[in-house]
PDB file of all heavy atoms in Angstrom:
ATOM      1  N   LEU J 492      37.123   1.724  -5.681  1.00 98.00           N
ATOM      2  CA  LEU J 492      35.622   1.795  -5.819  1.00 98.00           C
ATOM      3  C   LEU J 492      35.073   0.476  -6.406  1.00 98.00           C
ATOM      4  O   LEU J 492      34.097  -0.064  -5.906  1.00 98.00           O
ATOM      5  CB  LEU J 492      35.222   2.994  -6.674  1.00 98.00           C
ATOM      6  CG  LEU J 492      33.765   3.164  -6.883  1.00 98.00           C
ATOM      7  CD1 LEU J 492      33.354   4.632  -6.590  1.00 98.00           C
ATOM      8  CD2 LEU J 492      33.316   2.837  -8.336  1.00 98.00           C
ATOM      9  N   TYR J 493      35.767  -0.033  -7.467  1.00 98.00           N
ATOM     10  CA  TYR J 493      35.224  -1.308  -8.079  1.00 98.00           C
ATOM     11  C   TYR J 493      35.447  -2.467  -7.196  1.00 98.00           C
ATOM     12  O   TYR J 493      34.603  -3.394  -7.160  1.00 98.00           O
ATOM     13  CB  TYR J 493      35.825  -1.484  -9.474  1.00 98.00           C
ATOM     14  CG  TYR J 493      35.164  -0.479 -10.441  1.00 98.00           C
ATOM     15  CD1 TYR J 493      35.767   0.730 -10.744  1.00 98.00           C
ATOM     16  CD2 TYR J 493      33.905  -0.722 -10.952  1.00 98.00           C
ATOM     17  CE1 TYR J 493      35.137   1.682 -11.564  1.00 98.00           C
ATOM     18  CE2 TYR J 493      33.264   0.216 -11.777  1.00 98.00           C
ATOM     19  CZ  TYR J 493      33.913   1.392 -12.058  1.00 98.00           C
ATOM     20  OH  TYR J 493      33.268   2.353 -12.887  1.00 98.00           O
ATOM     21  N   GLU J 494      36.520  -2.485  -6.357  1.00 98.00           N
ATOM     22  CA  GLU J 494      36.719  -3.586  -5.437  1.00 98.00           C
ATOM     23  C   GLU J 494      35.545  -3.522  -4.368  1.00 98.00           C
ATOM     24  O   GLU J 494      35.013  -4.570  -4.006  1.00 98.00           O
ATOM     25  CB  GLU J 494      38.021  -3.401  -4.698  1.00 98.00           C
ATOM     26  CG  GLU J 494      39.197  -4.025  -5.429  1.00 98.00           C
ATOM     27  CD  GLU J 494      40.553  -3.461  -4.966  1.00 98.00           C
ATOM     28  OE1 GLU J 494      40.662  -3.069  -3.789  1.00 98.00           O
ATOM     29  OE2 GLU J 494      41.414  -3.411  -5.844  1.00 98.00           O
ATOM     30  N   LYS J 495      35.237  -2.339  -3.911  1.00 98.00           N
ATOM     31  CA  LYS J 495      34.150  -2.223  -2.947  1.00 98.00           C
ATOM     32  C   LYS J 495      32.817  -2.675  -3.565  1.00 98.00           C
ATOM     33  O   LYS J 495      32.060  -3.421  -2.893  1.00 98.00           O
ATOM     34  CB  LYS J 495      34.045  -0.718  -2.451  1.00 98.00           C
ATOM     35  CG  LYS J 495      32.942  -0.492  -1.466  1.00 98.00           C
ATOM     36  CD  LYS J 495      32.911   0.913  -0.970  1.00 98.00           C
ATOM     37  CE  LYS J 495      31.903   0.981   0.144  1.00 98.00           C
ATOM     38  NZ  LYS J 495      31.634   2.382   0.558  1.00 98.00           N
ATOM     39  N   LEU J 496      32.539  -2.177  -4.780  1.00 98.00           N
ATOM     40  CA  LEU J 496      31.285  -2.612  -5.435  1.00 98.00           C
ATOM     41  C   LEU J 496      31.189  -4.126  -5.612  1.00 98.00           C
ATOM     42  O   LEU J 496      30.125  -4.746  -5.398  1.00 98.00           O
ATOM     43  CB  LEU J 496      31.146  -1.928  -6.804  1.00 98.00           C
ATOM     44  CG  LEU J 496      30.866  -0.448  -6.855  1.00 98.00           C
ATOM     45  CD1 LEU J 496      30.974   0.092  -8.241  1.00 98.00           C
ATOM     46  CD2 LEU J 496      29.480  -0.168  -6.303  1.00 98.00           C
ATOM     47  N   GLU J 497      32.317  -4.740  -5.958  1.00 98.00           N
ATOM     48  CA  GLU J 497      32.350  -6.163  -6.108  1.00 98.00           C
ATOM     49  C   GLU J 497      32.066  -6.866  -4.777  1.00 98.00           C
ATOM     50  O   GLU J 497      31.233  -7.790  -4.748  1.00 98.00           O
ATOM     51  CB  GLU J 497      33.691  -6.600  -6.719  1.00 98.00           C
ATOM     52  CG  GLU J 497      33.943  -8.103  -6.922  1.00 98.00           C
ATOM     53  CD  GLU J 497      32.924  -8.768  -7.829  1.00 98.00           C
ATOM     54  OE1 GLU J 497      32.461  -8.056  -8.762  1.00 98.00           O
ATOM     55  OE2 GLU J 497      32.581  -9.937  -7.653  1.00 98.00           O
ATOM     56  N   ARG J 498      32.678  -6.358  -3.740  1.00 98.00           N
ATOM     57  CA  ARG J 498      32.506  -7.034  -2.445  1.00 98.00           C
ATOM     58  C   ARG J 498      30.978  -6.910  -2.010  1.00 98.00           C
ATOM     59  O   ARG J 498      30.405  -7.917  -1.564  1.00 98.00           O
ATOM     60  CB  ARG J 498      33.398  -6.376  -1.427  1.00 98.00           C
ATOM     61  CG  ARG J 498      33.718  -7.106  -0.175  1.00 98.00           C
ATOM     62  CD  ARG J 498      34.719  -6.397   0.788  1.00 98.00           C
ATOM     63  NE  ARG J 498      34.257  -5.083   1.178  1.00 98.00           N
ATOM     64  CZ  ARG J 498      34.831  -3.953   0.896  1.00 98.00           C
ATOM     65  NH1 ARG J 498      35.912  -3.896   0.123  1.00 98.00           N
ATOM     66  NH2 ARG J 498      34.379  -2.842   1.419  1.00 98.00           N
ATOM     67  N   LEU J 499      30.464  -5.675  -2.130  1.00 98.00           N
ATOM     68  CA  LEU J 499      29.081  -5.465  -1.692  1.00 98.00           C
ATOM     69  C   LEU J 499      28.084  -6.274  -2.555  1.00 98.00           C
ATOM     70  O   LEU J 499      27.132  -6.871  -2.102  1.00 98.00           O
ATOM     71  CB  LEU J 499      28.683  -3.994  -1.829  1.00 98.00           C
ATOM     72  CG  LEU J 499      29.438  -3.036  -0.880  1.00 98.00           C
ATOM     73  CD1 LEU J 499      29.127  -1.594  -1.205  1.00 98.00           C
ATOM     74  CD2 LEU J 499      29.078  -3.294   0.619  1.00 98.00           C
ATOM     75  N   SER J 500      28.398  -6.265  -3.884  1.00 98.00           N
ATOM     76  CA  SER J 500      27.428  -6.958  -4.810  1.00 98.00           C
ATOM     77  C   SER J 500      27.461  -8.452  -4.601  1.00 98.00           C
ATOM     78  O   SER J 500      26.425  -9.131  -4.651  1.00 98.00           O
ATOM     79  CB  SER J 500      27.815  -6.653  -6.278  1.00 98.00           C
ATOM     80  OG  SER J 500      27.875  -5.216  -6.430  1.00 98.00           O
ATOM     81  N   ALA J 501      28.657  -9.053  -4.349  1.00 98.00           N
ATOM     82  CA  ALA J 501      28.781 -10.431  -4.074  1.00 98.00           C
ATOM     83  C   ALA J 501      28.039 -10.776  -2.752  1.00 98.00           C
ATOM     84  O   ALA J 501      27.368 -11.843  -2.681  1.00 98.00           O
ATOM     85  CB  ALA J 501      30.230 -10.830  -3.928  1.00 98.00           C
ATOM     86  N   ARG J 502      28.061  -9.881  -1.776  1.00 98.00           N
ATOM     87  CA  ARG J 502      27.349 -10.146  -0.529  1.00 98.00           C
ATOM     88  C   ARG J 502      25.847 -10.190  -0.762  1.00 98.00           C
ATOM     89  O   ARG J 502      25.152 -11.035  -0.214  1.00 98.00           O
ATOM     90  CB  ARG J 502      27.739  -8.991   0.460  1.00 98.00           C
ATOM     91  CG  ARG J 502      27.305  -9.276   1.880  1.00 98.00           C
ATOM     92  CD  ARG J 502      27.784  -8.092   2.756  1.00 98.00           C
ATOM     93  NE  ARG J 502      27.477  -8.281   4.179  1.00 98.00           N
ATOM     94  CZ  ARG J 502      28.387  -8.763   5.004  1.00 98.00           C
ATOM     95  NH1 ARG J 502      29.552  -9.079   4.650  1.00 98.00           N
ATOM     96  NH2 ARG J 502      28.019  -8.909   6.313  1.00 98.00           N
ATOM     97  N   LEU J 503      25.361  -9.229  -1.582  1.00 98.00           N
ATOM     98  CA  LEU J 503      23.904  -9.254  -1.866  1.00 98.00           C
ATOM     99  C   LEU J 503      23.552 -10.464  -2.668  1.00 98.00           C
ATOM    100  O   LEU J 503      22.515 -11.111  -2.354  1.00 98.00           O
ATOM    101  CB  LEU J 503      23.572  -7.972  -2.691  1.00 98.00           C
ATOM    102  CG  LEU J 503      22.134  -7.832  -3.055  1.00 98.00           C
ATOM    103  CD1 LEU J 503      21.173  -7.731  -1.837  1.00 98.00           C
ATOM    104  CD2 LEU J 503      21.891  -6.537  -3.916  1.00 98.00           C
ATOM    105  N   GLU J 504      24.349 -10.816  -3.658  1.00 98.00           N
ATOM    106  CA  GLU J 504      24.078 -12.003  -4.467  1.00 98.00           C
ATOM    107  C   GLU J 504      23.955 -13.240  -3.604  1.00 98.00           C
ATOM    108  O   GLU J 504      23.015 -13.946  -3.676  1.00 98.00           O
ATOM    109  CB  GLU J 504      25.194 -12.177  -5.514  1.00 98.00           C
ATOM    110  CG  GLU J 504      25.098 -13.469  -6.300  1.00 98.00           C
ATOM    111  CD  GLU J 504      26.341 -13.754  -7.146  1.00 98.00           C
ATOM    112  OE1 GLU J 504      27.362 -13.060  -6.988  1.00 98.00           O
ATOM    113  OE2 GLU J 504      26.306 -14.664  -7.946  1.00 98.00           O
ATOM    114  N   GLN J 505      24.949 -13.452  -2.699  1.00 98.00           N
ATOM    115  CA  GLN J 505      24.956 -14.627  -1.858  1.00 98.00           C
ATOM    116  C   GLN J 505      23.753 -14.619  -0.863  1.00 98.00           C
ATOM    117  O   GLN J 505      23.143 -15.618  -0.663  1.00 98.00           O
ATOM    118  CB  GLN J 505      26.326 -14.692  -1.088  1.00 98.00           C
ATOM    119  CG  GLN J 505      26.549 -16.078  -0.436  1.00 98.00           C
ATOM    120  CD  GLN J 505      26.191 -17.277  -1.333  1.00 98.00           C
ATOM    121  OE1 GLN J 505      26.719 -17.408  -2.479  1.00 98.00           O
ATOM    122  NE2 GLN J 505      25.294 -18.134  -0.897  1.00 98.00           N
ATOM    123  N   GLY J 506      23.527 -13.436  -0.333  1.00 98.00           N
ATOM    124  CA  GLY J 506      22.378 -13.258   0.610  1.00 98.00           C
ATOM    125  C   GLY J 506      21.050 -13.634  -0.038  1.00 98.00           C
ATOM    126  O   GLY J 506      20.247 -14.304   0.563  1.00 98.00           O
ATOM    127  N   LEU J 507      20.820 -13.117  -1.214  1.00 98.00           N
ATOM    128  CA  LEU J 507      19.570 -13.389  -1.911  1.00 98.00           C
ATOM    129  C   LEU J 507      19.453 -14.874  -2.260  1.00 98.00           C
ATOM    130  O   LEU J 507      18.396 -15.508  -2.186  1.00 98.00           O
ATOM    131  CB  LEU J 507      19.454 -12.537  -3.198  1.00 98.00           C
ATOM    132  CG  LEU J 507      19.269 -11.010  -2.924  1.00 98.00           C
ATOM    133  CD1 LEU J 507      19.252 -10.269  -4.295  1.00 98.00           C
ATOM    134  CD2 LEU J 507      18.056 -10.681  -2.171  1.00 98.00           C
TER     135      LEU J 507
END
Side-chain angles (χ1 to χ4, degrees):
L492 179 131
Y493 286 96
E494 276 160 29
K495 179 176 186 190
L496 286 172
E497 177 61 29
R498 200 176 60 245
L499 294 173
S500 306
R502 192 179 183 96
L503 180 61
E504 175 189 8
Q505 193 46 54
L507 291 176

